[in-house]
Amino acid sequence: MGSYLLKSLNKTSDYMTIVRELDDGYVVRIVRDKDGYNDITTDYISKTLFDSCIRTGYLTKMETVEDKAAANA
């Protein structure tokens, strides 16, 4: 399905993973670095909003599992 780095102002390695695709959007798991611990949430994002986030650079596709591991470091 894919994982995406989230653009952030504080240079943390936050990322989002698509858990499931629906007709009109995605169920996603968002992992945010909060002062040394991970804040994990599951949410919904519409396909329109997802496409907009890709187009504007807020989300960047993670290429490999190693990239995801680096995001957690």
Side-chain angles (χ1 to χ4, degrees), residues 33-52:
D33 181 6
K34 299 283 188 169
D35 296 326
Y37 73 92
N38 287 336
D39 177 33
I40 303 170
T41 58
T42 302
D43 210 339
Y44 168 85
I45 184 172
S46 70
K47 287 186 177 181
T48 304
L49 179 57
F50 178 82
D51 291 341
S52 178

Side-chain angles (χ1 to χ4, degrees), residues 3-10 12-16 28 30-32 34 41 45 48-62:
S3 294
Y4 298 83
L5 290 173
L6 286 90
K7 187 175 187 177
S8 64
L9 295 175
N10 56 358
T12 59
S13 52
D14 303 339
Y15 67 94
M16 175 182 85
V28 296
I30 301 169
V31 179
R32 293 188 179 272
K34 299 283 188 169
T41 58
I45 184 172
T48 304
L49 179 57
F50 178 82
D51 291 341
S52 178
C53 289
I54 292 290
R55 201 170 45 254
T56 60
Y58 182 73
L59 294 175
T60 305
K61 176 83 169 153
M62 295 171 68

Side-chain angles (χ1 to χ4, degrees), residues 18-29:
I18 297 175
V19 176
R20 183 176 43 193
E21 183 174 357
L22 305 172
D23 290 337
D24 59 345
Y26 304 98
V27 175
V28 296
R29 180 176 174 247

